[in-house]
Structure formats: structure tokens, C-alpha cells
Amino acid sequence: MSHDPNCIFCKIVAGQIPSKKAYEDEYLLAFHDINPWAPVHLLIIPKLHIASMADLHDGHAELLGRMGVLAPKLMRELGVSNGFRTVINTGPDGGQEVYHLHMHVMGGPRPWLKG
């Protein structure tokens, strides 16, 4: 699989940087965000280095589908039952900070939003 030796997420995939894993298979890795925006905040990344969503092509359709199917499965397993949010930031204007395709999946009760 393609990887970028300077990419922090590629280093996480390679086990060079520790993470709190939620899921791993031959294609994807999901781990807990170190700066969560919600009680449950995961990042789902392909093990293949793809810099951003703008770099996807038809051959990546199955990989992106796997990411989309994994998100609700992990939220259910982690006890999120009242909905969740998925976000893929793309490029500088899209707020992307790490240039390795990743999906944020955020859920859980957020009491500061009430009242």
C-alpha cells in the first residue's frame, strides 16, 4: 500500500505513533481523536495514503463506501444511539489540517448544546 513517510496518519497506520484504536482491518483504521469535539469522536482513515477527498477516483469508490458503512457500526458499538455527525474536510478552504483522507465521526450527548 502507498504511504507517505512524513504523514502523521501513515505513521499511526505503521504503528510508529500510538493511537487508541476502535477498529482495524486490511483497508481501514479507526481511532479516537486526541482533541475530541464530542463525547465520541473517531477518525476513520484508509490505510492507503490518499491526500484528500479531491484526490479520489473511481477506483476508490469501494474504499469510501467501506468508510461510510463503518461509521454507523462503530457508533452503535460505542453506545451512540441518538445520531452522529460525519465530516470530511477537503483542502485548505475546507478546513483540512492533515493531508491524509479522514472521516470525523462524532456522537454522544452534548449537554452544552441544550438550553
Side-chain angles (χ1 to χ4, degrees), residues 75-76 78-84 108:
M75 290 293 105
R76 281 190 300 273
L78 293 169
V80 174
S81 59
N82 200 30
F84 59 91

Side-chain angles (χ1 to χ4, degrees), residues 4-104:
D4 177 344
N6 299 313
C7 171
I8 189 167
F9 287 173
C10 287
K11 290 178 181 180
I12 290 172
V13 168
Q16 297 169 338
I17 295 176
S19 67
K20 184 179 174 189
K21 293 180 185 178
Y23 177 87
E24 183 173 15
D25 67 19
E26 64 182 295
Y27 305 104
L28 302 175
L29 176 63
F31 55 94
H32 293 265
D33 194 295
I34 60 171
N35 294 308
W37 287 16
V40 178
H41 184 167
L42 300 177
L43 297 176
I44 300 175
I45 66 170
K47 289 186 170 181
L48 174 68
H49 181 81
I50 302 167
S52 81
M53 196 163 189
D55 296 313
L56 292 174
H57 55 70
D58 290 345
H60 294 126
E62 183 178 342
L63 186 63
L64 197 59
R66 288 177 183 274
M67 292 171 71
V69 169
L70 182 59
K73 177 182 182 286
L74 292 176
M75 290 293 105
R76 281 190 300 273
E77 288 176 2
L78 293 169
V80 174
S81 59
N82 200 30
F84 59 91
R85 181 178 185 192
T86 58
V87 177
I88 299 176
N89 299 319
T90 305
D93 288 345
Q96 187 173 3
E97 294 177 3
V98 177
Y99 281 83
H100 183 118
L101 177 66
H102 57 285
M103 175 187 289
H104 294 264

